[in-house]
Amino acid sequence: MLDDFLYTNADVFAWSPSDMLCIPREVTEHSLEIRAGSKPMKQRLRRFDEEKRKINGEEVHKLLTVGFIKEVHHPEWLANPMLVKKKNGKMRLCVDYTSLNKACLKVPFPLLRIDQIVDSTTGCETLSLLDAYSGYHQIKMKESVQLATSFITPFGMYCYVTMPFGLRNARATYQRCMLHVFGEHVGSTVEAYIDDIIIKSKMQGDLIQDLEITFGCLRTNNIKLNLEKCVFGVC
């Protein structure tokens, strides 16, 4: 029954970045509150060895192809990229936004306590663990602040169109989005910690119904999941 359900709801999963639609701006978008009078910082291009330079170019090409970044010509803020190794051994392109973050006001939006989320699953017969596909990139950057995310590479200068890792308040923006998306179901059948989602089924027979409700919320808001990182019906 679970396999049949997942098959008929395959549209909720992204198989590549090109399958992502992005969350509507009226639901959420990421903005930056840069302090008035802050002096924009332009970093000089750092030196990369040939291997990292090649990976840098490949990652930039991927981000351009899927529309996560765009080329820029006259940025005021300019940061350097960093290559960070993921758990699967592959490299992820991140940007050192230290200077920009220092100039931005922090949003005091509360993140849930992980221990409380774990405690809330007590008594549930089955759990489903969901992971958003490139979760941060499903949220768009506010157009007026996109240029502030500019970064320099050996291949040109670019800025983010979607929300990247490392920006101040990005976690808060995502958490607020999840609370809006799942609404009344948060704390009842769903818990969300940034881009990690837990579906709590009190009884094993409630699994499909709980999945239907959660998938409905995701579908309404154009949120896509990464099937490879999802686990369903854990006892």
Side-chain angles (χ1 to χ4, degrees), residues 13-214:
F13 302 100
W15 311 103
S16 70
S18 60
D19 293 332
M20 292 165 48
L21 300 175
C22 281
I23 299 169
R25 290 189 185 277
E26 57 267 25
V27 175
T28 191
E29 62 180 3
H30 189 62
S31 184
L32 299 172
E33 298 298 328
I34 301 176
R35 293 184 182 89
S38 296
K39 182 180 178 181
M41 300 292 291
K42 288 185 179 180
Q43 298 180 8
R44 293 183 178 181
L45 178 63
R46 295 173 185 166
R47 180 179 175 83
F48 296 94
D49 61 38
E50 189 55 33
E51 180 182 2
K52 289 184 178 179
R53 183 178 182 275
K54 179 181 178 182
I55 297 174
N56 210 309
E58 292 172 348
E59 290 300 301
V60 166
H61 177 72
K62 290 177 184 177
L63 292 170
L64 272 174
T65 300
V66 297
F68 292 167
I69 62 174
K70 65 181 180 182
E71 189 174 10
V72 297
H73 300 285
H74 303 288
E76 292 185 338
W77 292 88
L78 202 55
N80 268 280
M82 305 180 296
L83 293 174
V84 179
K85 184 175 289 188
K86 299 192 290 186
K87 292 180 180 179
N88 59 11
K90 295 181 180 180
M91 303 299 287
R92 169 188 289 154
L93 182 73
C94 297
V95 179
D96 180 8
Y97 285 124
T98 302
S99 298
L100 176 61
N101 287 341
K102 287 181 178 178
C104 292
L105 297 174
K106 185 176 182 180
V107 175
F109 191 85
L111 297 179
L112 299 180
R113 290 175 55 95
I114 296 179
D115 58 335
Q116 289 182 326
I117 294 177
V118 173
D119 289 345
S120 74
T121 64
T122 301
C124 296
E125 289 192 355
T126 55
L127 301 174
S128 296
L129 312 178
L130 312 183
D131 187 88
Y133 191 101
S134 295
Y136 277 33
H137 290 310
Q138 295 196 44
I139 293 179
K140 296 177 182 178
M141 286 296 300
K142 188 174 182 178
E143 293 183 359
S144 61
V145 300
Q146 289 177 2
L147 200 59
T149 68
S150 297
F151 60 98
I152 188 170
T153 77
F155 310 95
M157 298 180 295
Y158 307 89
C159 75
Y160 273 93
V161 176
T162 59
M163 187 173 71
F165 289 94
L167 275 185
R168 170 150 286 186
N169 303 319
R171 286 154 57 93
T173 293
Y174 207 103
Q175 186 68 42
R176 184 190 291 112
C177 175
M178 291 297 99
L179 295 179
H180 174 83
V181 167
F182 295 115
E184 62 181 341
H185 305 296
V186 175
S188 176
T189 58
V190 178
E191 299 288 355
Y193 183 79
I194 312 179
D195 57 347
D196 292 315
I197 304 163
I198 301 176
I199 303 177
K200 307 181 298 184
S201 298
K202 293 293 184 182
M203 306 294 291
Q204 193 164 3
D206 298 334
L207 175 61
I208 298 301
Q209 179 181 338
D210 293 339
L211 285 172
E212 285 178 342
I213 293 172
T214 306

Side-chain angles (χ1 to χ4, degrees), residues 216-230:
C217 294
L218 295 172
R219 188 178 288 112
T220 298
N221 293 279
N222 294 341
I223 298 175
K224 298 289 187 177
L225 300 176
N226 185 348
L227 182 58
E228 292 183 355
K229 295 184 179 181
C230 293

